[in-house]
């Protein structure tokens, strides 16, 4: 989880701190030999705001990503599904792993219009 002081309704500048915090919390809990992220289910909803946030957070945590990363953004096909976006993307990512059309580990992230940010990592079972 992360908290973005510069969210859409805030007067604070948007610096991508909340999503970066969510990523760092997630990645800091991984073993050192964890495989790099190969696929990302992104919380884009057509707003450039969230694309900038992704760019900032992903650059700050670049060492956790593979050289080539597949980007999936379900809002492209479904539109903005609101608060259902996070759970919906987790389900889609899990199905992608199960049906083997998405290589893991898969990072799923979502940002609310307010301050809340979240990220989870899905991978094949060991």
């Amino acid at each position: 989880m992360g908290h973005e002081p510069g969210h859409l309704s805030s007067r604070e500048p948007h610096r991508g701190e909340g999503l970066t915090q969510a990523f760092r919390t997630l990645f800091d809990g991984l073993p050192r030999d964890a495989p790099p992220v190969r696929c990302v289910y992104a919380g884009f909803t057509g707003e450039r705001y969230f694309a900038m946030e992704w760019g900032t957070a992903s650059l700050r945590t670049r060492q956790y990503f593979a050289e080539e990363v597949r980007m999936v953004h379900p809002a492209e096909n479904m539109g903005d599904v609101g608060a259902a976006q996070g759970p919906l993307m987790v389900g889609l990512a899990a199905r992608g792993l199960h049906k083997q059309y998405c290589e893991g580990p898969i990072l799923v992230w979502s940002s609310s219009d307010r301050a809340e940010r979240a990220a989870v990592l899905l991978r094949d079972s060991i």
Side-chain angles (χ1 to χ4, degrees):
M1 297 290 297
H3 178 86
E4 176 58 52
H7 56 82
L8 283 172
S9 302
S10 172
R11 292 183 181 202
E12 296 291 320
H14 180 245
R15 295 189 174 111
E17 297 296 333
L19 193 58
T20 300
Q21 179 184 20
F23 285 5
R24 285 186 176 149
T25 299
L26 177 66
F27 293 141
D28 285 350
L30 296 176
R32 290 187 188 264
D33 62 345
V37 171
R38 300 196 185 286
C39 183
V40 175
Y41 274 67
F44 300 138
T45 56
E47 302 283 342
R48 65 178 167 79
Y49 175 89
F50 297 115
M52 190 278 293
E53 183 172 48
W54 155 252
T56 302
S58 65
L59 285 174
R60 290 176 178 163
T61 56
R62 180 71 188 126
Q63 69 270 26
Y64 298 102
F65 294 90
E67 284 296 316
E68 292 186 29
V69 176
R70 178 179 176 199
M71 292 292 297
V72 180
H73 42 101
E76 171 180 57
N77 298 307
M78 296 181 289
D80 187 348
V81 294
Q85 182 182 37
L88 181 64
M89 288 194 305
V90 169
L92 291 170
R95 180 137 176 104
L97 275 175
H98 177 72
K99 294 290 187 177
Q100 299 179 340
Y101 58 79
C102 223
E103 186 178 357
I106 300 173
L107 173 68
V108 180
W109 68 267
S110 187
S111 297
S112 74
D113 289 348
R114 299 287 182 170
E116 296 79 16
R117 304 310 189 236
V120 297
L121 192 66
L122 283 76
R123 61 186 183 126
D124 295 298
S125 59
I126 297 175

